[in-house]
Amino acid sequence: VQLQASGGGLVQTGDSLNVSCAAPEESFKSRGMGWFRQAPGKEREFVAAISRSGAGTWFADSVKGRFAILRDKAKTTWHLTMNSLQPEDTAIYYCAVVVRGSWGTNAEYDYFGQGTQVTVSS
């Protein structure tokens, strides 16, 4: 079982885009989750996280103030809203759930799926 991110695409600098991640089974709905990205030739970067209750969120400095994360009321889908996109945001975006620890940077994540490509043109 893996999470599947969706909603990526090609946008221009300054545009907004929303990517989503659906929980594939019931046990995933009660977990915290995180968004990661990997640009060509670079290591995977942890960019955002949300606690299992949805009350807590965390963002990497590179996206803080521009990205938002939330989950729907049914807790079946998580969303990453990306505003003021820049070319350096170009990457494959992945979602994953907490498998150990609490949430945010105090957790380990797994069940990465294939990701969704986000490309920001200059």
Side-chain angles (χ1 to χ4, degrees), residues 4 8 13 23 28 31 41 50 56 63 78 83 97-98 111-113 115 122:
Q4 183 60 54
T13 297
F28 283 49
R31 303 189 192 197
I50 187 167
V63 306
W78 296 277
N83 300 309
V97 291
V98 173
Y111 299 102
F112 293 87
S122 58

Side-chain angles (χ1 to χ4, degrees), residues 7-19 37 66-67 80-91 93 116-122:
L10 172 63
V11 297
Q12 295 184 337
T13 297
D15 283 352
S16 298
L17 190 66
N18 182 72
V19 292
R37 67 185 182 186
R66 300 188 298 121
F67 287 16
L80 183 69
T81 299
M82 303 179 289
N83 300 309
S84 302
L85 283 163
Q86 303 298 314
E88 51 265 35
D89 295 317
T90 294
Y93 283 72
T116 185
Q117 176 71 49
V118 173
T119 303
V120 185
S121 64
S122 58

Side-chain angles (χ1 to χ4, degrees), residues 28-67:
F28 283 49
K29 297 179 182 180
S30 61
R31 303 189 192 197
M33 69 87 64
W35 284 98
F36 299 76
R37 67 185 182 186
Q38 188 164 20
K42 295 187 176 181
E43 294 187 353
R44 187 168 63 195
E45 179 187 11
F46 184 27
V47 295
I50 187 167
S51 65
R52 66 178 187 174
S53 70
T57 57
W58 172 89
F59 299 94
D61 289 343
S62 57
V63 306
K64 194 175 296 181
R66 300 188 298 121
F67 287 16

